[in-house]
Amino acid sequence: MDALHPRLLVGDFGATFRFYDHVLPALLGATLTRGGPDGPYASWDIGTEGLLMLFDRAAMAEVAGTGSLPASPPAAQDRAMLVSRVSDVTAAYDLALRHGGTPVAPPTARPEWGPTTRTAHLRDPDGNLLEFQSY
């Protein structure tokens, strides 16, 4: 049973799928368990636990009755972020950028967050904020 896992509702399913299909196995050993680049759904697991799911935003809007609302909100601060602890922040950041990520903040030591904390921030192809961290 998956107790709780993120499901990203994405507008550009193909690009977002390809990004995570390259990044998740390489960084975390995740396995694609369902779906493919044509959508509308895909999921990756680590062992028997769900790690991340993608679902087509328009398909979910149809189910939720929000199809008449704008697909993109006005510019605002991020409300959520996916965070992954990795052994090498720079390698993770570079891998994600090579597969379609957009840089936000390069690998940086963050001693104010913890004496050995290092982070990097980027966006996936659909604009979701990600943090790679080590400590």
Side-chain angles (χ1 to χ4, degrees):
M1 176 180 85
D2 299 327
L4 182 66
H5 57 262
R7 179 176 294 168
L8 298 178
L9 306 177
V10 299
D12 188 344
F13 193 93
T16 308
F17 172 88
R18 287 186 292 279
F19 174 81
Y20 285 108
D21 200 42
H22 283 99
V23 172
L24 295 176
L27 291 182
L28 304 174
T31 303
L32 177 67
T33 55
R34 287 181 212 81
D38 296 330
Y41 178 83
S43 65
W44 292 264
D45 291 358
I46 294 179
T48 60
E49 294 295 317
L51 172 68
L52 180 70
M53 290 67 189
L54 301 180
F55 197 70
D56 180 76
R57 183 180 298 128
M60 190 69 236
E62 190 176 311
V63 170
T66 59
S68 63
L69 298 175
S72 297
Q77 293 179 356
D78 293 288
R79 294 188 56 169
M81 174 173 66
L82 297 176
V83 179
S84 182
R85 186 174 173 191
V86 296
S87 60
D88 185 334
V89 170
T90 299
Y93 182 75
D94 291 344
L95 173 72
L97 294 181
R98 281 195 311 273
H99 292 287
T102 303
V104 171
T108 303
R110 302 230 182 252
E112 67 278 15
W113 294 5
T116 61
T117 301
R118 187 168 161 77
T119 67
H121 295 87
L122 63 134
R123 294 191 184 282
D124 71 16
D126 208 59
N128 297 294
L129 184 61
L130 282 82
E131 176 182 282
F132 295 127
Q133 61 174 235
S134 64
Y135 51 90

